[in-house]
Amino acid sequence: MAKMKAIEAVAKILELEGVTKAFGVPGAAINPFYAALRGLGTIEHVLARHVEGASHMAEGYTRANPGNIGLCIGTSGPAGTDMITGLYSAMADSIPILCITGQAPRARMHKEDFQAVDIEAIAKPVTKWAICVMEPAQLIGTFQQAFHIMRSGRPGPVLIDMPFDVQMAEIEFDAEAYQPMTAYKPAANRIQIEKALTMLNESDKPLLVSGGGVINANADKQLTEFAELVNVPVIPTLMGWGTIPDDHALMAGMCGLQTSHRYGNANMLASDFVLGLGNRFANRHTGSVDVYTKGRKFVHVDIEPTQIGRVFCPDLGIVSDAGAALDLFLEVAKEWKAAGKLKDRSAWVAECQERKRTMQRKTNFDNVPVKPQRVYQEMNKVFGRDTTYVSTIGLSQIAAAQFLHVYSARNWINCGQAGPLGWTIPAALGVVAADKSRNVVAISGDYDFQFMIEELAVGAQFKLPYIHVLVNNSYLGLIRQAQRGFDMDFCVQLSFENINSPELGEYGVDHVKVVEGLGCKAIRVYKPEEIAPALEQAKKLMAEFSVPVVVEVILERVTNVSMGVEIDAVNEFEELAEKGVDAPTAISMLD
């Protein structure tokens, strides 16, 4: 076997495990690893401006394509603690990313050395595994185990902390003898599938709920095929949006308190049976358990055993990878169809389709300043079926989910449970880094945009082009709307008169100047009819300069977006669509 520095073996293992891209910030304690990356020469590095940004770039990179595992790098001190938010976000959404940190030498770890912190202990609650490797020879097995853990069962992040002297030590390593470990994925058995299919077949108004686990399993095609085979409508969760195309006859809308369609909630409330596949029954999808479960039976299929029954006890729980379960569902359903055992669902499907046709929200507002609904209407006109949308949290994301259209898995890339502000820019850059041929469009409110705006410089430096639609009402809009229940509007206004940009009035930060200062392009629009031309111009600028292009739309200061505390009590604050002209880009026309 060959003798080499332990950190050189680590770099080679990353290559053998399929890593081709890394996001990070060098530092003294991690410089040995950077030297190993430089020597290896096969892993491209993207230099972030903030280490939290690097972790979100790694998330975006993982979420972009099946099999990807994003890598983020920093020191164990402030860099490691900065990456905690990214680890939390990845853990919450079952996203495998690998965080590597450089630690003080072993002899100084307990002596309050510069930037030495117990990052293992800090990271444990937000990772599948966090470890500080104290023996150089254990690095090989540790990294082998890390990839096995990230890929097995419910995917998730891992942090490996390496003391400086552990990195520098010499060990024996035979790269030719290294082999990645086979990931463990639980799979349903035929008895379970037959019981679940029997319950579905006995129901009158069944639905499939398709979650992020279907995307993680790369099983969207099986999901759609199964829905077509049994002729049962599908309710995707926000994390599962795209597992069935929005314009598919069996796409019954999203259900929930915020990121939902009117017809999605209505179809859920009319159902009598739900087969959940790879979903969490998260509270913003369900609202209260009593309302969500009343009058219907549930089968829950999930890869994580402890997820079954976490929110409520289903009538049948099946521990399985969503793809493995769908393969068996298809096998049994095909047999049953050939035998004439599957129930005719045409009347129920027609009922759901009629709700989809008639229960639309209005988008065609001509107001100046612009109403947000109009922004998404114009985006639907300009951006095609292959567009990948990236967003995180806020009224901008909620409205995007209500009005945009998604046609493929991984074309809606969203931070679900954690929802950290600032996520959108670095995540979008990570998606583009994974595939520069993708048509990527990010959506942010002004506060999310300002949180990590410095990462736009990464897009300029490394030529990572995408379009960023920035809807600016100079408010923490979602929190302002939530404060209505407390009869206040407190500490949520971002407005001020910018002495350097008086033309903005009270809209405060001049995003165009900041974006241009970071090396990117920006366009500002004030009127509805300016939006589509600006988006078309953004496409040309992006192609010409290969940098992020921001299109800022100045919104009316206050808009209350549809939401509520129960799926049967969503408040509609604006006019509803009564005819086709009210919602000209709706997925299903009113007339």
Side-chain angles (χ1 to χ4, degrees):
M1 289 199 297
K3 264 192 175 296
M4 63 180 71
K5 287 182 180 178
I7 202 62
E8 293 171 348
V10 166
K12 187 63 181 177
I13 289 169
L14 294 174
E15 180 188 58
L16 294 169
E17 291 282 359
V19 174
T20 59
K21 194 91 62 175
F23 309 88
V25 176
I30 197 64
N31 271 338
F33 181 54
Y34 274 91
L37 287 182
R38 180 175 178 269
L40 186 67
T42 59
I43 298 176
E44 182 183 347
H45 183 269
V46 175
L47 177 63
R49 295 307 190 265
H50 189 294
V51 199
E52 181 186 340
S55 68
H56 297 325
M57 290 175 201
E59 281 190 81
Y61 180 84
T62 295
R63 294 171 193 249
N65 293 314
N68 281 7
I69 291 184
L71 171 63
C72 51
I73 310 164
T75 60
S76 59
T81 55
D82 283 343
M83 287 190 275
I84 291 298
T85 301
L87 291 170
Y88 162 43
S89 172
M91 186 69 175
D93 289 348
S94 306
I95 303 300
I97 66 172
L98 177 59
C99 176
I100 296 177
T101 54
Q103 179 62 266
R106 286 170 289 181
R108 297 211 298 268
M109 287 174 63
H110 65 291
K111 295 182 179 180
E112 298 186 358
D113 205 47
F114 179 66
Q115 293 191 342
V117 69
D118 189 353
I119 195 65
E120 174 188 342
I122 294 170
K124 275 184 174 176
V126 291
T127 55
K128 285 190 76 177
W129 189 38
I131 184 170
C132 179
V133 184
M134 300 298 285
E135 292 297 331
Q138 286 190 311
L139 280 174
I140 297 168
T142 298
F143 275 86
Q144 190 177 35
Q145 175 77 332
F147 282 94
H148 178 66
I149 288 172
M150 284 187 287
R151 293 171 175 145
S152 292
R154 181 182 180 181
V158 167
L159 178 138
I160 299 177
D161 191 35
M162 301 180 294
F164 188 92
D165 56 326
V166 169
Q167 298 177 58
M168 295 295 290
E170 280 204 341
I171 62 169
E172 300 278 357
F173 177 62
D174 187 343
E176 290 183 356
Y178 181 87
Q179 181 175 322
M181 296 171 67
T182 302
Y184 163 71
K185 301 285 185 184
N189 61 45
R190 189 178 179 93
I191 292 174
Q192 293 171 321
I193 295 302
E194 287 179 344
K195 284 180 178 290
L197 204 53
T198 297
M199 292 173 67
L200 182 149
N201 211 36
E202 289 174 347
S203 66
D204 294 319
K205 298 183 176 183
L207 291 172
L208 308 180
V209 169
S210 175
V214 175
I215 292 177
N216 282 346
N218 199 31
D220 51 295
K221 298 294 189 296
Q222 296 99 304
L223 181 281
T224 301
E225 184 183 355
F226 177 61
E228 291 171 346
L229 186 62
V230 294
N231 201 26
V232 171
V234 179
I235 299 275
T237 68
L238 187 65
M239 295 301 296
W241 196 13
T243 49
I244 187 169
D246 268 6
D247 59 353
H248 194 287
L250 292 174
M251 202 295 201
M254 285 192 287
C255 172
L257 306 181
Q258 296 177 340
T259 53
S260 60
H261 303 106
R262 294 181 64 222
Y263 52 91
N265 283 349
N267 285 328
M268 175 60 72
L269 290 165
S271 70
D272 63 2
F273 173 84
V274 171
L275 169 56
L277 293 154
N279 65 304
R280 295 187 297 111
F281 291 116
N283 71 304
R284 292 194 176 186
H285 166 78
T286 65
S288 74
V289 169
D290 289 346
V291 171
Y292 187 77
T293 60
K294 184 178 180 181
R296 56 194 63 87
K297 293 183 177 180
F298 288 84
V299 173
H300 189 195
V301 179
D302 198 86
I303 198 168
E304 170 55 44
T306 61
Q307 201 67 41
I308 308 293
R310 184 182 293 271
V311 178
F312 59 84
C313 184
D315 297 272
L316 176 63
I318 301 173
V319 179
S320 178
D321 170 75
L326 280 165
D327 286 342
L328 201 48
F329 270 119
L330 280 167
E331 181 182 314
V332 176
K334 286 175 182 177
E335 294 173 8
W336 286 19
K337 184 172 184 178
K341 291 174 63 176
L342 292 180
K343 188 180 288 188
D344 180 12
R345 302 289 180 192
S346 54
W348 167 236
V349 170
E351 185 182 323
C352 292
Q353 289 172 341
E354 180 64 10
R355 293 191 189 94
K356 186 175 182 178
R357 189 186 71 81
T358 58
M359 299 182 72
Q360 299 287 343
R361 296 179 173 113
K362 183 175 179 179
T363 57
N364 202 19
F365 296 95
D366 293 326
N367 305 52
V368 178
V370 177
K371 278 190 169 295
Q373 293 87 345
R374 181 63 183 268
V375 178
Y376 305 102
Q377 175 179 302
E378 300 304 307
M379 290 173 69
N380 284 332
K381 290 179 183 176
V382 172
F383 298 125
R385 294 179 67 91
D386 65 340
T387 303
T388 298
Y389 293 108
V390 182
S391 189
T392 179
I393 192 63
L395 291 184
S396 56
Q397 174 236 30
I398 293 168
Q402 292 179 6
F403 299 113
L404 290 178
H405 308 317
V406 174
Y407 300 97
S408 301
R410 300 181 190 273
N411 275 12
W412 172 260
I413 293 179
N414 179 86
C415 176
Q417 188 194 121
L421 286 165
W423 188 88
T424 309
I425 293 174
L429 293 171
V431 174
V432 178
D435 183 0
K436 288 189 178 182
S437 69
R438 292 275 276 270
N439 295 315
V440 176
V441 177
I443 308 117
S444 284
D446 44 302
Y447 205 43
D448 170 55
F449 190 73
Q450 290 174 21
F451 255 58
M452 303 203 78
I453 194 170
E454 76 284 343
E455 301 305 322
L456 285 173
V458 177
Q461 179 180 357
F462 292 91
K463 301 298 182 185
L464 301 172
Y466 75 96
I467 293 173
H468 202 122
V469 177
L470 165 61
V471 286
N472 181 6
N473 63 355
S474 198
Y475 244 122
L476 277 69
L478 178 56
I479 308 307
R480 177 208 54 76
Q481 186 167 337
Q483 285 188 353
R484 294 171 73 250
F486 296 89
D487 193 26
M488 67 178 182
D489 184 326
F490 184 63
C491 292
V492 290
Q493 297 197 26
L494 301 172
S495 57
F496 64 93
E497 292 185 2
N498 189 327
I499 59 173
N500 298 305
S501 302
E503 70 276 11
L504 284 174
E506 61 180 350
Y507 279 80
V509 174
D510 191 331
H511 296 111
V512 170
K513 288 180 180 176
V514 178
V515 168
E516 290 178 343
L518 290 166
C520 302
K521 290 290 185 179
I523 306 165
R524 180 182 294 125
V525 300
Y526 293 91
K527 299 177 182 178
E529 61 270 21
E530 298 172 342
I531 299 171
L535 295 174
E536 294 290 359
Q537 184 186 354
K539 289 182 182 179
K540 295 175 183 177
L541 290 170
M542 188 178 66
E544 180 180 357
F545 296 103
S546 196
V547 299
V549 181
V550 176
V551 177
E552 178 184 39
V553 184
I554 301 298
L555 299 185
E556 63 184 9
R557 294 294 314 287
V558 174
T559 306
N560 292 313
V561 175
S562 304
M563 65 182 72
V565 295
E566 296 287 0
I567 61 172
D568 63 352
V570 170
N571 294 314
E572 301 292 341
F573 297 95
E574 302 287 347
E575 303 168 55
L576 297 173
E578 296 181 356
K579 49 190 177 179
V581 70
D582 294 333
T585 65
I587 201 69
S588 182
M589 302 306 292
L590 290 157
D591 51 33

